[in-house]
Amino acid sequence: MTKRFAFKMFLKPGCEEEYQKRHAAIWPELVKIEGGQLAGHRER
């Protein structure tokens, strides 16, 4: 049987805006590979 591993992250209070800002942008390399059509992702 395959073992599965996971982890859970917590966001520090007051860091919500920075988290959103850093995760909203898509890497330019991925846009080139997939033509911007990554699993329902759309540029914001």
Side-chain angles (χ1 to χ4, degrees):
M1 184 169 189
T2 304
K3 289 185 179 182
R4 296 183 184 207
F5 297 91
F7 66 95
K8 188 173 183 178
M9 294 176 37
F10 294 91
L11 188 60
K12 293 180 182 178
C15 294
E16 296 86 358
E17 186 176 327
E18 183 68 19
Y19 177 87
Q20 289 296 329
K21 183 177 98 177
R22 291 180 179 255
H23 288 83
I26 186 170
W27 296 347
E29 296 85 358
L30 292 178
V31 173
K32 289 178 188 175
I33 292 170
E34 297 291 335
Q37 300 300 313
L38 293 172
H41 182 86
R42 54 192 161 95
E43 192 72 31
R44 293 182 189 184

